[in-house]
Amino acid sequence: MLNQISKHIYQTLRRFLFLCLLLALPYAIQLAQGQESYFARLLTPDQAICESGDVEIQIEFNTAIDGPVDVGIEVRGDVSGFLMRSPKFVENYYPATDGAIKTQVHTVDYPDDNEITIKLTTGLDGDSTTYNESDMWGQTVIRIDRIPTAPFSAGDDIVTCGLSTTLNATPGSGNGHTSYLWSGSGGNFSDNSIANPVFTANNEGTYTLTFTQINGVCQANDQVNVTLNGQPAATIDSESTICGSGNATINLTLQGNGPWQARYAAGNQESTLNITSSAYSFSRNITGETEFRLINVTDVNGCVTSYNGEAGSTVVIPDLKVNADAGEYTEVCGDLVELNAAAPGMGIGQWSGDGVFDDTSDPKTGFRISALTTGVVEKDLTWTITNGDCLSSDVVRVKFYKKPETDLFTAGRDTILYNKTDYTLQASLPFGSGVWAVIEGNAVIAGINDPTTPISNLRYGLNRLRWTLSNGVCSSVSDDVTITVTGVKHYNGISPNGDGKNDVLVIEGADVVANNELIIFDVRGKVVYQSRDYQNDWGGTDNSGKILPDGYYYFNFRGEGVDIKDYLIIKSSVY
């Protein structure tokens, strides 16, 4: 039957096309080759509805078919299978006069299905010709979206510390077309298209946030209140310093919701402070450099911020104590010394003392005394270090020794002894210490460190002794003295004529003969002149100073160890 109807339509269509061939032959040929006939076709587009709704069904009829026409429709679900069939969904319709397109509303309400398919199934024209599905074109798919249901929720209200929190929405059921959307003002979401983003607010406060789950054309909304109490914060600082030990003032600046409880460590000792003001100070007695470190701070809401050495969470109270070291006791030869204080690890050093410093701020500066008038001078010099309010001083003693020079002392005059083997040395000792040494001879020195010591056991001939002057750390300097031992020597004549030659009686060595006495006799044995402690000054006079006549005389010179008797000729005439 269907084939006969199709052939009939086809023949009728060919006759119609032939009549138009003269006007549009190319078009008629194309139409005959490429277009098939249909009874009706479904124009309703695929679409989605939320759970239920009205679908506007549009059916386009072939206007070449005689009316009235009927058309049937079938609705089938993806879960339920066959849902509805209406053999006369459209009945007694005249496409040629009422319009090629017939619109009719159909209500969809199939809660068990996710989608339904609508298609045309049968047709009947005015000639009572029946058409089947092969004569019907098109079908429509209606997706049925669902409103999200339990456990859909934006989550419990949140009260937390800080300015951010993770939201805890629970999505409801979906049908494969689900998406999420968070919205709310006063902050931002890490990703507002997921169920559990992080919400970060600009300020503390309570924020109402909306969670929307979208299932196709369906959606559900829920709200949650998020209270962000903020996070407490604290910084620590101090301008205090100590000198070894002392009180340090520590300042805390707090932010957030007070009152607060702050825990801190001073060195290895931890303590807790209860604070009601955002600006807070306290004092601690400390010894040595000490670090104050914030451990945590808790606000009135129980919010805690912990610290681990971040900037502003630690402060070091410096110990400015200094220990001056002026160096060791020093001895030098001369008037100049190079000092050797320890350079300060911190602070500024300064020398002070009686004398001249090359640079008072140099720990190893040169120092010169103004005068070295004695053999040794001691100076106490002070090295002072100043570091802030801290001060330390140390004193070093420097001993300056005058340098011995040969022009500053003598071992005495060279001496001739007559008939004498002992003597008292006559060296000088301007400063320092001296020591005698026998260089030639066998002399015995009574006191080797005594500049005027007696000596004995002098040998006849040359005796050489050395006087060495030492002064502290200076190099020693020496001077020699010679003592020549010989017999007393005299002459047997004088010529007291004032010519400066042989005017007096010379007895060499008389001045070294103790308790000496000179007696002059005439040829008759009469004493004409007598003198004790003779000084080689008798010029031929008697005891009254009268000039004795020329002639022969006798003399006796005696004293300790000496007794000389001999003649003497006085001859004052000038020839």
Side-chain angles (χ1 to χ4, degrees):
M1 179 65 179
L2 179 61
N3 292 335
Q4 290 176 353
I5 294 172
S6 300
K7 290 179 179 180
H8 173 73
I9 294 172
Y10 180 72
Q11 290 174 356
T12 303
L13 181 60
R14 289 190 63 183
R15 287 195 294 269
F16 174 75
L17 293 174
F18 181 77
L19 293 175
C20 297
L21 183 59
L22 294 176
L23 298 175
L25 182 61
Y27 174 77
I29 295 173
Q30 179 181 1
L31 181 62
Q33 293 177 346
Q35 180 174 324
E36 298 181 11
S37 64
Y38 63 92
F39 174 76
R41 64 178 177 182
L42 191 61
L43 299 180
T44 300
D46 293 345
Q47 56 191 275
I49 60 175
C50 182
E51 296 198 350
S52 65
D54 297 331
V55 177
E56 186 178 76
I57 297 176
Q58 290 184 327
I59 301 173
E60 181 184 38
F61 292 96
N62 191 335
T63 56
I65 297 176
D66 295 331
V69 298
D70 299 335
V71 66
I73 191 172
E74 178 184 281
V75 179
R76 182 178 294 273
D78 66 333
V79 175
S80 302
F82 176 76
L83 294 174
M84 183 198 78
R85 176 173 290 171
S86 176
K88 292 185 177 182
F89 182 74
V90 176
E91 186 176 7
N92 295 322
Y93 187 73
Y94 289 86
T97 57
D98 294 339
I101 298 175
K102 169 64 175 177
T103 299
Q104 190 166 317
V105 176
H106 176 68
T107 299
V108 177
D109 185 9
Y110 302 108
D112 293 333
D113 294 292
N114 294 313
E115 67 179 30
I116 60 174
T117 302
I118 302 173
K119 63 181 180 179
L120 303 177
T121 56
T122 60
L124 181 67
D125 64 10
D127 295 331
S128 297
T129 302
T130 301
Y131 299 86
N132 59 21
E133 289 186 12
S134 62
D135 300 310
M136 309 299 169
W137 287 9
Q139 71 176 17
T140 296
V141 177
I142 306 298
R143 190 181 76 239
I144 303 174
D145 294 328
R146 309 295 178 184
I147 297 174
T149 58
F152 172 77
S153 170
D156 297 331
D157 289 345
I158 297 173
V159 178
T160 188
C161 301
L163 293 178
S164 64
T165 186
T166 299
L167 302 175
N168 53 3
T170 302
S173 59
N175 62 350
H177 303 281
T178 296
S179 63
Y180 310 116
L181 178 65
W182 279 99
S183 60
S185 61
N188 58 77
F189 301 88
S190 61
D191 185 349
N192 68 348
S193 64
I194 62 175
N196 306 108
V198 175
F199 174 71
T200 301
N202 299 323
N203 301 291
E204 298 178 13
T206 299
Y207 299 85
T208 299
L209 307 178
T210 301
F211 176 61
T212 300
Q213 180 175 343
I214 302 169
N215 285 343
V217 294
C218 298
Q219 70 177 36
N221 300 316
D222 191 24
Q223 291 184 328
V224 62
N225 291 322
V226 176
T227 300
L228 299 176
N229 289 322
Q231 199 72 20
T235 58
I236 187 170
D237 67 85
S238 177
E239 295 182 356
S240 294
T241 62
I242 61 170
C243 292
S245 63
N247 283 322
T249 298
I250 310 302
N251 305 313
L252 289 175
T253 302
L254 297 106
Q255 296 178 340
N257 301 304
W260 303 267
Q261 186 181 80
R263 188 158 185 81
Y264 73 95
N268 295 323
Q269 182 182 3
E270 296 186 3
S271 301
T272 301
L273 299 170
N274 294 312
I275 304 171
T276 59
S277 173
S278 60
Y280 181 80
S281 298
F282 67 96
S283 294
R284 282 287 300 269
N285 187 275
I286 58 175
T287 299
E289 181 175 283
T290 303
E291 179 186 61
F292 284 78
R293 175 174 52 87
L294 279 174
I295 299 173
N296 57 52
V297 58
T298 305
D299 67 8
V300 69
N301 297 315
C303 297
V304 180
T305 299
S306 298
Y307 297 94
N308 190 28
E310 295 86 350
S313 67
T314 62
V315 64
V316 175
I317 308 302
D319 183 1
L320 301 184
K321 181 180 180 180
V322 288
N323 294 309
D325 181 2
E328 300 296 329
Y329 169 81
T330 303
E331 294 182 346
V332 295
C333 181
D335 58 1
L336 177 65
V337 66
E338 184 177 293
L339 300 175
N340 192 32
M346 52 184 175
I348 299 173
Q350 186 77 23
W351 282 106
S352 60
D354 181 22
V356 179
F357 297 91
D358 291 344
D359 184 352
T360 56
S361 62
D362 183 358
K364 301 184 184 301
T365 188
F367 172 78
R368 187 185 303 274
I369 59 175
S370 56
L372 189 57
T373 57
T374 61
V376 60
V377 172
E378 288 185 331
K379 294 289 185 180
D380 288 335
L381 307 177
T382 302
W383 175 243
T384 300
I385 299 176
T386 303
N387 189 31
D389 295 332
C390 298
L391 183 144
S392 176
S393 296
D394 188 34
V395 176
V396 63
R397 176 165 290 182
V398 181
K399 198 170 188 177
F400 298 88
Y401 291 97
K402 189 176 183 66
K403 183 178 181 181
E405 302 286 354
T406 54
D407 59 349
L408 298 178
F409 78 105
T410 179
R413 293 183 300 173
D414 293 341
T415 303
I416 299 175
L417 298 180
Y418 297 92
N419 293 335
K420 189 174 183 180
T421 60
D422 55 2
Y423 182 68
T424 298
L425 297 171
Q426 299 297 322
S428 63
L429 184 63
F431 53 82
S433 61
V435 60
W436 286 106
V438 177
I439 306 303
E440 293 185 42
N442 301 310
V444 176
I445 304 171
I448 61 172
N449 301 117
D450 184 357
T452 57
T453 184
I455 60 174
S456 60
N457 200 39
L458 293 168
R459 70 181 183 183
Y460 274 79
L462 182 66
N463 297 269
R464 186 184 302 276
L465 294 98
R466 179 166 294 163
W467 176 240
T468 300
L469 180 62
S470 300
N471 194 25
V473 296
C474 297
S475 299
S476 299
V477 180
S478 299
D479 188 36
D480 292 352
V481 62
T482 59
I483 302 173
T484 303
V485 178
T486 184
V488 175
K489 181 179 180 181
H490 64 279
Y491 299 92
N492 295 98
I494 62 174
S495 57
N497 53 17
D499 63 356
K501 298 178 180 179
N502 298 320
D503 288 336
V504 295
L505 174 63
V506 175
I507 301 174
E508 294 181 359
D511 56 333
V512 297
V513 177
N515 300 318
N516 66 60
E517 181 180 28
L518 174 65
I519 304 173
I520 306 296
F521 304 90
D522 61 15
V523 292
R524 293 185 297 274
K526 178 183 178 182
V527 176
V528 296
Y529 178 80
Q530 188 173 10
S531 173
R532 291 187 176 277
D533 193 17
Y534 181 59
Q535 298 298 318
N536 288 326
D537 55 356
W538 180 70
T541 61
D542 60 15
N543 285 331
S544 62
K546 182 179 178 180
I547 297 175
L548 294 173
D550 292 351
Y552 282 88
Y553 295 86
Y554 298 94
F555 74 92
N556 180 204
F557 178 79
R558 58 192 178 190
E560 292 183 8
V562 178
D563 189 5
I564 301 173
K565 297 176 180 178
D566 207 346
Y567 70 92
L568 176 65
I569 298 174
I570 299 175
K571 188 176 183 180
S572 58
S573 301
V574 178
Y575 297 98

